[in-house]
Amino acid sequence: NLAEDLEIRDHIKEKWGFAGIASLEIERSGKRMRVTIHTARPGIIIGRRGAEIDRLRDEMGQFTANEIMIDIKEIKLPQVEAQLVAENIAQQLEKRVSFRKAMKKAVQLAMMKGAQGIKMQCGGRLGGSEIARTEGYKDGKVPLSTFRADVDYGFAEAFTTYGTIGCKVWIYKGEVLVKKEEAAKAKERKERENILDRDAAPGQHDPHREPAGYGLGHEQDVGHDPVVLVRKDGAGAPES
């Protein structure tokens, strides 16, 4: 299964790499396989009337005997997807664009599109220099040591005439507070249920609540003798 997954991933990335594929998810259940492709350009993979996606399904059938289902999910903001940003910088380096210009432009676009922080590094023979070095740019904050931080990571390689250059990108998208919010909602739900249970149980005695009719001149049955409660102004006193 692992060998099949790797072959499928390599085939899709090799053939459809220009479609801006950020990630692939492969799920298996019995004899079925679901492949989810996250791409910035879904129209290219789907093709006219789904012709390309049918061809892709047939090609993937060469690597596995399972029934294949393909889902295409569009990436709305490719400028804040770390893998796509890294691949974009690598493509520009292969076209002999200045690495400083490519990195600065990527940083500006990511911050304009809503990223809270971005950090990137390029390492290798930058600009064709004889000695390899690493240079990077950073904007905003990228808390790599915070567990609840949603940090996206991407890596790509540029194969140039003077050597291989690696590009790493970290993009901070905010904090993940799902567990904290769920705990707060569960606590609020429990308090609401406790209030409803207390109101729905009329037979329970509340020591802090006055008995009904106390001090209002109403009669209460205690045993067989009627008891008249007297108000402070004297109203309701038994007649002599």
Side-chain angles (χ1 to χ4, degrees):
N1 289 349
L2 180 58
E4 290 179 1
D5 291 357
L6 292 174
E7 289 177 348
I8 290 172
R9 287 177 185 275
D10 292 342
H11 175 74
I12 294 176
K13 290 291 286 185
E14 181 180 352
K15 184 168 183 180
W16 301 100
F18 60 91
I21 296 175
S23 62
L24 289 168
E25 296 176 3
I26 299 177
E27 302 175 12
R28 293 174 178 269
S29 59
K31 291 293 183 179
R32 292 186 176 183
M33 175 190 294
R34 181 182 295 275
V35 180
T36 305
I37 303 175
H38 298 265
T39 174
R41 302 165 74 183
I44 294 178
I45 299 178
I46 296 171
R48 183 172 294 179
R49 297 181 182 176
E52 295 296 331
I53 201 168
D54 292 337
R55 188 185 305 169
L56 176 61
R57 187 181 293 108
D58 295 338
E59 292 173 355
M60 290 169 58
Q62 301 173 5
F63 303 107
T64 179
N66 295 346
E67 181 185 350
I68 301 172
M69 293 176 287
I70 301 177
D71 290 341
I72 308 294
K73 291 192 176 180
E74 182 182 4
I75 297 172
K76 300 292 185 183
L77 294 173
Q79 294 86 354
V80 295
E81 197 70 28
Q83 183 62 34
L84 297 182
V85 173
E87 290 178 1
N88 182 35
I89 295 173
Q91 290 173 6
Q92 293 185 61
L93 293 177
E94 289 176 352
K95 295 176 183 176
R96 298 179 178 271
V97 176
S98 170
F99 69 93
R100 287 193 181 92
K101 182 179 178 181
M103 294 169 73
K104 284 181 180 178
K105 188 175 180 182
V107 169
Q108 291 174 359
L109 282 174
M111 296 303 289
M112 282 172 55
K113 292 296 181 178
Q116 296 191 20
I118 180 171
K119 172 185 173 184
M120 59 179 61
Q121 288 182 349
C122 285
R125 293 183 60 184
L126 299 173
S129 62
E130 300 247 344
I131 299 176
R133 67 185 191 276
T134 300
E135 290 206 16
Y137 286 90
K138 182 180 178 182
D139 193 2
K141 61 177 183 178
V142 185
L144 298 179
S145 301
T146 305
F147 283 129
R148 65 174 179 268
D150 181 13
V151 179
D152 192 17
Y153 172 74
F155 172 74
E157 289 179 324
F159 299 100
T160 63
T161 55
Y162 38 82
T164 303
I165 297 176
C167 304
K168 295 180 179 180
V169 177
W170 295 264
I171 296 179
Y172 175 53
K173 300 180 180 179
E175 292 187 350
V176 181
L177 300 173
V178 178
K179 291 185 178 179
K180 198 171 183 180
E181 291 176 358
E182 287 180 352
K185 288 181 180 178
K187 184 177 179 182
E188 184 180 349
R189 196 182 306 118
K190 190 174 181 181
E191 290 176 354
R192 196 182 302 119
E193 289 174 356
N194 290 340
I195 293 172
L196 291 174
D197 292 343
R198 191 167 64 241
D199 293 343
Q204 294 183 355
H205 174 67
D206 190 349
H208 302 290
R209 186 180 297 175
E210 292 184 351
Y214 180 76
L216 299 179
H218 295 165
E219 293 186 355
Q220 293 182 346
D221 291 336
V222 179
H224 297 284
D225 299 325
V227 177
V228 178
L229 299 177
V230 183
R231 293 197 306 217
K232 292 181 180 179
D233 56 1
E239 296 179 359
S240 56

